[in-house]
PDB file of all heavy atoms in Angstrom:
ATOM      1  N   THR T 159     -27.675  -0.628  23.798  1.00 93.00           N
ATOM      2  CA  THR T 159     -29.053  -0.123  23.898  1.00 93.00           C
ATOM      3  C   THR T 159     -29.947  -0.754  22.839  1.00 93.00           C
ATOM      4  O   THR T 159     -31.129  -1.011  23.092  1.00 93.00           O
ATOM      5  CB  THR T 159     -29.088   1.405  23.773  1.00 93.00           C
ATOM      6  OG1 THR T 159     -28.373   1.811  22.602  1.00 93.00           O
ATOM      7  CG2 THR T 159     -28.471   2.065  24.988  1.00 93.00           C
ATOM      8  N   ASP T 160     -29.405  -1.009  21.663  1.00 94.00           N
ATOM      9  CA  ASP T 160     -30.211  -1.665  20.630  1.00 94.00           C
ATOM     10  C   ASP T 160     -30.612  -3.070  21.065  1.00 94.00           C
ATOM     11  O   ASP T 160     -31.733  -3.523  20.796  1.00 94.00           O
ATOM     12  CB  ASP T 160     -29.439  -1.729  19.312  1.00 94.00           C
ATOM     13  CG  ASP T 160     -29.494  -0.428  18.531  1.00 94.00           C
ATOM     14  OD1 ASP T 160     -30.370   0.405  18.837  1.00 94.00           O
ATOM     15  OD2 ASP T 160     -28.665  -0.233  17.625  1.00 94.00           O
ATOM     16  N   ARG T 161     -29.718  -3.773  21.735  1.00 94.00           N
ATOM     17  CA  ARG T 161     -30.030  -5.144  22.149  1.00 94.00           C
ATOM     18  C   ARG T 161     -30.958  -5.172  23.352  1.00 94.00           C
ATOM     19  O   ARG T 161     -31.955  -5.906  23.366  1.00 94.00           O
ATOM     20  CB  ARG T 161     -28.734  -5.897  22.477  1.00 94.00           C
ATOM     21  CG  ARG T 161     -28.983  -7.346  22.929  1.00 94.00           C
ATOM     22  CD  ARG T 161     -27.695  -8.118  23.076  1.00 94.00           C
ATOM     23  NE  ARG T 161     -27.929  -9.488  23.485  1.00 94.00           N
ATOM     24  CZ  ARG T 161     -28.252 -10.485  22.668  1.00 94.00           C
ATOM     25  NH1 ARG T 161     -28.413 -10.251  21.377  1.00 94.00           N
ATOM     26  NH2 ARG T 161     -28.441 -11.705  23.127  1.00 94.00           N
ATOM     27  N   TYR T 162     -30.655  -4.373  24.368  1.00 92.00           N
ATOM     28  CA  TYR T 162     -31.350  -4.505  25.641  1.00 92.00           C
ATOM     29  C   TYR T 162     -32.551  -3.574  25.803  1.00 92.00           C
ATOM     30  O   TYR T 162     -33.418  -3.852  26.625  1.00 92.00           O
ATOM     31  CB  TYR T 162     -30.366  -4.279  26.788  1.00 92.00           C
ATOM     32  CG  TYR T 162     -29.226  -5.261  26.787  1.00 92.00           C
ATOM     33  CD1 TYR T 162     -27.908  -4.842  26.706  1.00 92.00           C
ATOM     34  CD2 TYR T 162     -29.475  -6.630  26.845  1.00 92.00           C
ATOM     35  CE1 TYR T 162     -26.860  -5.752  26.704  1.00 92.00           C
ATOM     36  CE2 TYR T 162     -28.435  -7.543  26.827  1.00 92.00           C
ATOM     37  CZ  TYR T 162     -27.129  -7.103  26.757  1.00 92.00           C
ATOM     38  OH  TYR T 162     -26.108  -8.016  26.737  1.00 92.00           O
ATOM     39  N   GLU T 163     -32.602  -2.492  25.047  1.00 90.00           N
ATOM     40  CA  GLU T 163     -33.713  -1.561  25.200  1.00 90.00           C
ATOM     41  C   GLU T 163     -34.614  -1.499  23.973  1.00 90.00           C
ATOM     42  O   GLU T 163     -35.795  -1.189  24.103  1.00 90.00           O
ATOM     43  CB  GLU T 163     -33.171  -0.160  25.526  1.00 90.00           C
ATOM     44  CG  GLU T 163     -32.421  -0.106  26.858  1.00 90.00           C
ATOM     45  CD  GLU T 163     -31.923   1.294  27.200  1.00 90.00           C
ATOM     46  OE1 GLU T 163     -32.271   2.247  26.459  1.00 90.00           O
ATOM     47  OE2 GLU T 163     -31.199   1.437  28.199  1.00 90.00           O
ATOM     48  N   ARG T 164     -34.071  -1.779  22.795  1.00 90.00           N
ATOM     49  CA  ARG T 164     -34.885  -1.728  21.582  1.00 90.00           C
ATOM     50  C   ARG T 164     -35.234  -3.111  21.046  1.00 90.00           C
ATOM     51  O   ARG T 164     -35.994  -3.222  20.091  1.00 90.00           O
ATOM     52  CB  ARG T 164     -34.162  -0.912  20.499  1.00 90.00           C
ATOM     53  CG  ARG T 164     -33.894   0.537  20.909  1.00 90.00           C
ATOM     54  CD  ARG T 164     -33.303   1.333  19.759  1.00 90.00           C
ATOM     55  NE  ARG T 164     -33.052   2.700  20.156  1.00 90.00           N
ATOM     56  CZ  ARG T 164     -31.884   3.138  20.632  1.00 90.00           C
ATOM     57  NH1 ARG T 164     -30.858   2.297  20.738  1.00 90.00           N
ATOM     58  NH2 ARG T 164     -31.730   4.401  20.991  1.00 90.00           N
ATOM     59  N   GLY T 165     -34.674  -4.144  21.639  1.00 89.00           N
ATOM     60  CA  GLY T 165     -35.020  -5.505  21.242  1.00 89.00           C
ATOM     61  C   GLY T 165     -34.393  -5.983  19.953  1.00 89.00           C
ATOM     62  O   GLY T 165     -34.858  -6.971  19.368  1.00 89.00           O
ATOM     63  N   PHE T 166     -33.326  -5.340  19.488  1.00 92.00           N
ATOM     64  CA  PHE T 166     -32.659  -5.799  18.276  1.00 92.00           C
ATOM     65  C   PHE T 166     -31.835  -7.054  18.583  1.00 92.00           C
ATOM     66  O   PHE T 166     -31.463  -7.298  19.732  1.00 92.00           O
ATOM     67  CB  PHE T 166     -31.745  -4.702  17.731  1.00 92.00           C
ATOM     68  CG  PHE T 166     -32.455  -3.651  16.927  1.00 92.00           C
ATOM     69  CD1 PHE T 166     -33.305  -2.747  17.536  1.00 92.00           C
ATOM     70  CD2 PHE T 166     -32.280  -3.572  15.554  1.00 92.00           C
ATOM     71  CE1 PHE T 166     -33.962  -1.775  16.804  1.00 92.00           C
ATOM     72  CE2 PHE T 166     -32.938  -2.602  14.804  1.00 92.00           C
ATOM     73  CZ  PHE T 166     -33.782  -1.708  15.433  1.00 92.00           C
ATOM     74  N   HIS T 167     -31.542  -7.825  17.537  1.00 92.00           N
ATOM     75  CA  HIS T 167     -30.796  -9.067  17.707  1.00 92.00           C
ATOM     76  C   HIS T 167     -29.300  -8.862  17.506  1.00 92.00           C
ATOM     77  O   HIS T 167     -28.575  -9.797  17.175  1.00 92.00           O
ATOM     78  CB  HIS T 167     -31.312 -10.122  16.727  1.00 92.00           C
ATOM     79  CG  HIS T 167     -32.715 -10.561  17.021  1.00 92.00           C
ATOM     80  ND1 HIS T 167     -33.821  -9.904  16.507  1.00 92.00           N
ATOM     81  CD2 HIS T 167     -33.194 -11.558  17.806  1.00 92.00           C
ATOM     82  CE1 HIS T 167     -34.922 -10.500  16.943  1.00 92.00           C
ATOM     83  NE2 HIS T 167     -34.574 -11.500  17.730  1.00 92.00           N
ATOM     84  N   VAL T 168     -28.835  -7.653  17.685  1.00 95.00           N
ATOM     85  CA  VAL T 168     -27.417  -7.355  17.559  1.00 95.00           C
ATOM     86  C   VAL T 168     -26.660  -7.958  18.736  1.00 95.00           C
ATOM     87  O   VAL T 168     -27.168  -8.039  19.855  1.00 95.00           O
ATOM     88  CB  VAL T 168     -27.191  -5.820  17.507  1.00 95.00           C
ATOM     89  CG1 VAL T 168     -27.684  -5.159  18.778  1.00 95.00           C
ATOM     90  CG2 VAL T 168     -25.727  -5.498  17.278  1.00 95.00           C
ATOM     91  N   LEU T 169     -25.444  -8.418  18.468  1.00 95.00           N
ATOM     92  CA  LEU T 169     -24.586  -8.981  19.503  1.00 95.00           C
ATOM     93  C   LEU T 169     -23.434  -8.015  19.774  1.00 95.00           C
ATOM     94  O   LEU T 169     -22.493  -7.934  18.974  1.00 95.00           O
ATOM     95  CB  LEU T 169     -24.032 -10.336  19.067  1.00 95.00           C
ATOM     96  CG  LEU T 169     -25.040 -11.479  18.917  1.00 95.00           C
ATOM     97  CD1 LEU T 169     -24.359 -12.707  18.340  1.00 95.00           C
ATOM     98  CD2 LEU T 169     -25.686 -11.805  20.256  1.00 95.00           C
ATOM     99  N   PRO T 170     -23.485  -7.275  20.873  1.00 96.00           N
ATOM    100  CA  PRO T 170     -22.375  -6.373  21.196  1.00 96.00           C
ATOM    101  C   PRO T 170     -21.024  -7.079  21.222  1.00 96.00           C
ATOM    102  O   PRO T 170     -20.005  -6.484  20.861  1.00 96.00           O
ATOM    103  CB  PRO T 170     -22.753  -5.841  22.580  1.00 96.00           C
ATOM    104  CG  PRO T 170     -24.247  -5.905  22.609  1.00 96.00           C
ATOM    105  CD  PRO T 170     -24.588  -7.146  21.846  1.00 96.00           C
ATOM    106  N   ALA T 171     -21.011  -8.350  21.635  1.00 96.00           N
ATOM    107  CA  ALA T 171     -19.749  -9.094  21.704  1.00 96.00           C
ATOM    108  C   ALA T 171     -19.043  -9.122  20.353  1.00 96.00           C
ATOM    109  O   ALA T 171     -17.811  -9.011  20.283  1.00 96.00           O
ATOM    110  CB  ALA T 171     -20.019 -10.522  22.177  1.00 96.00           C
ATOM    111  N   VAL T 172     -19.811  -9.266  19.286  1.00 97.00           N
ATOM    112  CA  VAL T 172     -19.216  -9.336  17.946  1.00 97.00           C
ATOM    113  C   VAL T 172     -18.524  -8.020  17.599  1.00 97.00           C
ATOM    114  O   VAL T 172     -17.380  -8.000  17.117  1.00 97.00           O
ATOM    115  CB  VAL T 172     -20.289  -9.669  16.893  1.00 97.00           C
ATOM    116  CG1 VAL T 172     -19.711  -9.558  15.484  1.00 97.00           C
ATOM    117  CG2 VAL T 172     -20.853 -11.062  17.141  1.00 97.00           C
ATOM    118  N   TRP T 173     -19.184  -6.908  17.855  1.00 97.00           N
ATOM    119  CA  TRP T 173     -18.641  -5.600  17.489  1.00 97.00           C
ATOM    120  C   TRP T 173     -17.433  -5.244  18.346  1.00 97.00           C
ATOM    121  O   TRP T 173     -16.449  -4.671  17.848  1.00 97.00           O
ATOM    122  CB  TRP T 173     -19.726  -4.542  17.583  1.00 97.00           C
ATOM    123  CG  TRP T 173     -20.841  -4.816  16.618  1.00 97.00           C
ATOM    124  CD1 TRP T 173     -21.922  -5.620  16.830  1.00 97.00           C
ATOM    125  CD2 TRP T 173     -20.937  -4.358  15.265  1.00 97.00           C
ATOM    126  NE1 TRP T 173     -22.698  -5.673  15.692  1.00 97.00           N
ATOM    127  CE2 TRP T 173     -22.119  -4.911  14.724  1.00 97.00           C
ATOM    128  CE3 TRP T 173     -20.152  -3.523  14.472  1.00 97.00           C
ATOM    129  CZ2 TRP T 173     -22.532  -4.651  13.418  1.00 97.00           C
ATOM    130  CZ3 TRP T 173     -20.551  -3.259  13.172  1.00 97.00           C
ATOM    131  CH2 TRP T 173     -21.723  -3.818  12.650  1.00 97.00           C
ATOM    132  N   HIS T 174     -17.467  -5.599  19.624  1.00 96.00           N
ATOM    133  CA  HIS T 174     -16.312  -5.342  20.472  1.00 96.00           C
ATOM    134  C   HIS T 174     -15.144  -6.247  20.086  1.00 96.00           C
ATOM    135  O   HIS T 174     -13.982  -5.826  20.149  1.00 96.00           O
ATOM    136  CB  HIS T 174     -16.678  -5.546  21.942  1.00 96.00           C
ATOM    137  CG  HIS T 174     -17.554  -4.471  22.497  1.00 96.00           C
ATOM    138  ND1 HIS T 174     -17.123  -3.185  22.704  1.00 96.00           N
ATOM    139  CD2 HIS T 174     -18.862  -4.475  22.876  1.00 96.00           C
ATOM    140  CE1 HIS T 174     -18.109  -2.449  23.193  1.00 96.00           C
ATOM    141  NE2 HIS T 174     -19.173  -3.210  23.309  1.00 96.00           N
ATOM    142  N   TYR T 175     -15.441  -7.479  19.718  1.00 97.00           N
ATOM    143  CA  TYR T 175     -14.381  -8.384  19.274  1.00 97.00           C
ATOM    144  C   TYR T 175     -13.714  -7.839  18.011  1.00 97.00           C
ATOM    145  O   TYR T 175     -12.480  -7.884  17.881  1.00 97.00           O
ATOM    146  CB  TYR T 175     -14.957  -9.771  19.008  1.00 97.00           C
ATOM    147  CG  TYR T 175     -13.911 -10.781  18.597  1.00 97.00           C
ATOM    148  CD1 TYR T 175     -13.172 -11.470  19.550  1.00 97.00           C
ATOM    149  CD2 TYR T 175     -13.652 -11.044  17.248  1.00 97.00           C
ATOM    150  CE1 TYR T 175     -12.209 -12.395  19.177  1.00 97.00           C
ATOM    151  CE2 TYR T 175     -12.690 -11.961  16.872  1.00 97.00           C
ATOM    152  CZ  TYR T 175     -11.970 -12.637  17.835  1.00 97.00           C
ATOM    153  OH  TYR T 175     -11.000 -13.552  17.455  1.00 97.00           O
ATOM    154  N   LEU T 176     -14.517  -7.306  17.093  1.00 97.00           N
ATOM    155  CA  LEU T 176     -13.971  -6.833  15.823  1.00 97.00           C
ATOM    156  C   LEU T 176     -13.076  -5.616  15.996  1.00 97.00           C
ATOM    157  O   LEU T 176     -12.016  -5.531  15.363  1.00 97.00           O
ATOM    158  CB  LEU T 176     -15.114  -6.518  14.849  1.00 97.00           C
ATOM    159  CG  LEU T 176     -15.883  -7.725  14.314  1.00 97.00           C
ATOM    160  CD1 LEU T 176     -17.050  -7.275  13.452  1.00 97.00           C
ATOM    161  CD2 LEU T 176     -14.959  -8.638  13.514  1.00 97.00           C
ATOM    162  N   TRP T 177     -13.480  -4.659  16.857  1.00 96.00           N
ATOM    163  CA  TRP T 177     -12.624  -3.470  16.976  1.00 96.00           C
ATOM    164  C   TRP T 177     -11.361  -3.757  17.790  1.00 96.00           C
ATOM    165  O   TRP T 177     -10.343  -3.089  17.613  1.00 96.00           O
ATOM    166  CB  TRP T 177     -13.394  -2.276  17.527  1.00 96.00           C
ATOM    167  CG  TRP T 177     -13.664  -2.211  19.003  1.00 96.00           C
ATOM    168  CD1 TRP T 177     -14.824  -2.504  19.632  1.00 96.00           C
ATOM    169  CD2 TRP T 177     -12.764  -1.776  20.040  1.00 96.00           C
ATOM    170  NE1 TRP T 177     -14.702  -2.317  20.992  1.00 96.00           N
ATOM    171  CE2 TRP T 177     -13.458  -1.859  21.266  1.00 96.00           C
ATOM    172  CE3 TRP T 177     -11.438  -1.335  20.064  1.00 96.00           C
ATOM    173  CZ2 TRP T 177     -12.881  -1.522  22.492  1.00 96.00           C
ATOM    174  CZ3 TRP T 177     -10.852  -1.000  21.284  1.00 96.00           C
ATOM    175  CH2 TRP T 177     -11.580  -1.089  22.471  1.00 96.00           C
ATOM    176  N   THR T 178     -11.421  -4.758  18.675  1.00 95.00           N
ATOM    177  CA  THR T 178     -10.216  -5.108  19.436  1.00 95.00           C
ATOM    178  C   THR T 178      -9.300  -6.068  18.677  1.00 95.00           C
ATOM    179  O   THR T 178      -8.121  -6.195  19.031  1.00 95.00           O
ATOM    180  CB  THR T 178     -10.582  -5.751  20.783  1.00 95.00           C
ATOM    181  OG1 THR T 178     -11.380  -6.933  20.556  1.00 95.00           O
ATOM    182  CG2 THR T 178     -11.351  -4.780  21.666  1.00 95.00           C
ATOM    183  N   LEU T 179      -9.813  -6.732  17.641  1.00 96.00           N
ATOM    184  CA  LEU T 179      -9.039  -7.742  16.916  1.00 96.00           C
ATOM    185  C   LEU T 179      -7.720  -7.194  16.374  1.00 96.00           C
ATOM    186  O   LEU T 179      -6.649  -7.774  16.648  1.00 96.00           O
ATOM    187  CB  LEU T 179      -9.890  -8.340  15.800  1.00 96.00           C
ATOM    188  CG  LEU T 179      -9.202  -9.359  14.885  1.00 96.00           C
ATOM    189  CD1 LEU T 179      -8.725 -10.566  15.698  1.00 96.00           C
ATOM    190  CD2 LEU T 179     -10.154  -9.810  13.779  1.00 96.00           C
ATOM    191  N   PRO T 180      -7.724  -6.103  15.590  1.00 95.00           N
ATOM    192  CA  PRO T 180      -6.429  -5.615  15.091  1.00 95.00           C
ATOM    193  C   PRO T 180      -5.506  -5.115  16.192  1.00 95.00           C
ATOM    194  O   PRO T 180      -4.280  -5.168  16.047  1.00 95.00           O
ATOM    195  CB  PRO T 180      -6.831  -4.474  14.131  1.00 95.00           C
ATOM    196  CG  PRO T 180      -8.192  -4.062  14.559  1.00 95.00           C
ATOM    197  CD  PRO T 180      -8.851  -5.298  15.081  1.00 95.00           C
ATOM    198  N   VAL T 181      -6.056  -4.648  17.299  1.00 95.00           N
ATOM    199  CA  VAL T 181      -5.227  -4.216  18.429  1.00 95.00           C
ATOM    200  C   VAL T 181      -4.509  -5.417  19.032  1.00 95.00           C
ATOM    201  O   VAL T 181      -3.311  -5.349  19.353  1.00 95.00           O
ATOM    202  CB  VAL T 181      -6.089  -3.510  19.493  1.00 95.00           C
ATOM    203  CG1 VAL T 181      -5.237  -3.115  20.689  1.00 95.00           C
ATOM    204  CG2 VAL T 181      -6.787  -2.293  18.900  1.00 95.00           C
ATOM    205  N   ILE T 182      -5.223  -6.531  19.177  1.00 94.00           N
ATOM    206  CA  ILE T 182      -4.609  -7.754  19.715  1.00 94.00           C
ATOM    207  C   ILE T 182      -3.520  -8.263  18.773  1.00 94.00           C
ATOM    208  O   ILE T 182      -2.431  -8.652  19.219  1.00 94.00           O
ATOM    209  CB  ILE T 182      -5.688  -8.842  19.911  1.00 94.00           C
ATOM    210  CG1 ILE T 182      -6.708  -8.408  20.971  1.00 94.00           C
ATOM    211  CG2 ILE T 182      -5.046 -10.170  20.297  1.00 94.00           C
ATOM    212  CD1 ILE T 182      -6.136  -8.258  22.352  1.00 94.00           C
ATOM    213  N   VAL T 183      -3.793  -8.247  17.471  1.00 93.00           N
ATOM    214  CA  VAL T 183      -2.803  -8.718  16.492  1.00 93.00           C
ATOM    215  C   VAL T 183      -1.568  -7.821  16.517  1.00 93.00           C
ATOM    216  O   VAL T 183      -0.428  -8.302  16.450  1.00 93.00           O
ATOM    217  CB  VAL T 183      -3.418  -8.762  15.083  1.00 93.00           C
ATOM    218  CG1 VAL T 183      -2.361  -9.148  14.052  1.00 93.00           C
ATOM    219  CG2 VAL T 183      -4.570  -9.758  15.037  1.00 93.00           C
TER     220      VAL T 183
END
Side-chain angles (χ1 to χ4, degrees):
T159 51
D160 279 343
R161 180 173 181 83
Y162 300 121
E163 297 182 7
R164 299 186 180 93
F166 279 70
H167 293 88
V168 61
L169 293 174
V172 172
W173 297 86
H174 288 291
Y175 182 85
L176 290 175
W177 78 258
T178 58
L179 176 61
V181 178
I182 296 295
V183 176

